[in-house]
Amino acid sequence: MNILLSIAFVGAWSSGFIGAKLGSGSAPTVTLLMWRFLPLALVLGVVALTATRASWRGLTPRDLVRQAAVGALSQSGYLLTVYYAIELGVSSGTTALIDGTQPLVAGALAGPLLGLPVSRRQWLGLVLGVTGVAVVTVADAGAGTGVAWWAYLVPFLGMLSLVAATFLDRRSRTDVRPMVSMTVHAVTSAVVFTGLAAATGAVAPPASGSFWTAVVWLVVLSTFGGYGLYWLILRRSGVTKVNTLMFLMAPVTAVWGALMFGEPFGTQTVVGLALGLLAVAVVHRGDRHNRHDRHDHHNDHDRDRDRHRHSDDQNCQQPAEPGPFTPRR
């Protein structure tokens, strides 16, 4: 997996939690999400009708419906729960930490649902990452912030929604371009959140500058950066590896939240960050070894095939020994 893509993905995805914190004090969750996705859907719709029309060719209505379902899970359901948790008072770092349990679930289900092999190094990376998340989550949950205990369960619903979206997308046999999937997801979420905002009387946006700063932040960094890179890396590298990177979201968001909002950041957070980095290093190292082994095996196979082919060619060039069924001149 490209290191630069990984770093960009971690930063962009983590920015979503910070953007939610920025906008949580100025408007209800559905209002913020509606105005995040409405302009985004309009821009992507125009791009789809002009610059990227060729990317839509060959897609069937069934493919578009599947992508709409993926968008409803990966953006609408996931973001609604994350933003609502932050609105309830759960810190951005804690929300990311709870959301960090997603790789454990996805990694455990990758084998039975997708038939993908998971190496021992990958499992070791997952265990290290889960341990890091658990260390920081326990510390934050026990800080006594006055948040209702059930509020910490809300992000788990978003995690399950994102896991479901990941497997639904991976089971598709159609290769959908990232720009196409992002457009369908954005339009789907715009419809969902506009409907929710209209139903709750929360359509009108506030005039505060912090609200619109949060909207721009979320559209540019979180949507184009976070979700665009998520689906790109998912298709290039697979479920287990992209979900291992998800373990970095919790410690990175915790550091970011501490710097921007003064959220708690202690020794246990540092330990969790170190374990997350170690988890990614273990998986990446295993990937390099696996690719090297596959390359050597492929070269050995090619050499064996060439030897057999050369031997066959020599046999064809040599005259056959006379025998009972060999024609004689």
Side-chain angles (χ1 to χ4, degrees), residues 77-320:
Y78 172 72
L79 292 177
L80 182 62
T81 55
V82 167
Y83 282 46
Y84 183 53
I86 292 177
E87 183 181 339
L88 290 172
V90 181
S91 69
S92 59
T94 302
T95 303
L97 293 168
I98 296 173
D99 184 62
T101 59
Q102 181 220 353
L104 174 63
V105 178
L109 296 177
L113 292 184
L114 298 181
L116 299 177
V118 182
S119 68
R120 280 181 287 186
R121 277 188 177 270
Q122 288 173 317
W123 278 116
L124 176 59
L126 290 173
V127 170
L128 288 171
V130 169
T131 304
V133 169
V135 167
V136 186
T137 301
V138 170
D140 286 357
T145 57
V147 179
W149 66 268
W150 56 267
Y152 292 94
L153 300 178
V154 175
F156 281 103
L157 299 177
M159 176 270 295
L160 294 174
S161 183
L162 187 57
V163 168
T166 301
F167 286 119
L168 179 61
D169 181 75
R170 291 289 291 177
R171 291 179 71 88
S172 174
R173 297 182 179 179
T174 304
D175 183 20
V176 181
R177 300 289 181 86
M179 195 63 181
V180 173
S181 60
M182 186 183 296
T183 301
V184 177
H185 298 174
V187 172
T188 301
S189 295
V191 172
V192 170
F193 291 127
T194 300
L196 291 175
T200 57
V203 171
S208 63
S210 61
F211 173 83
W212 293 109
T213 299
V215 169
V216 173
W217 176 293
L218 291 168
V219 169
V220 176
L221 290 178
S222 306
T223 302
F224 283 112
Y227 280 97
L229 289 171
Y230 178 87
W231 295 112
L232 176 62
I233 295 176
L234 178 67
R235 287 181 170 84
R236 290 182 59 175
S237 304
V239 172
T240 302
K241 282 174 280 189
V242 75
N243 281 326
T244 301
L245 285 176
M246 295 292 287
F247 281 119
L248 293 178
M249 309 306 172
V252 168
T253 305
V255 173
W256 203 338
L259 294 175
M260 286 192 67
F261 308 118
E263 294 176 349
F265 183 80
T267 304
Q268 286 180 295
T269 304
V270 176
V271 174
L273 174 60
L275 288 173
L277 291 172
L278 181 59
V280 175
V282 167
V283 173
H284 279 301
R285 184 177 177 84
D287 290 342
R288 287 195 296 268
H289 281 303
N290 290 337
R291 284 195 296 268
H292 179 72
D293 292 343
R294 284 195 300 266
H295 179 71
D296 290 343
H297 177 73
H298 181 70
N299 288 341
D300 291 342
H301 176 72
D302 287 345
R303 285 193 294 268
D304 290 341
R305 184 183 58 192
D306 291 340
R307 282 198 299 268
H308 286 303
R309 182 179 299 166
H310 181 66
S311 175
D312 290 343
D313 291 342
Q314 287 181 330
N315 291 337
C316 291
Q317 293 170 0
Q318 294 174 353

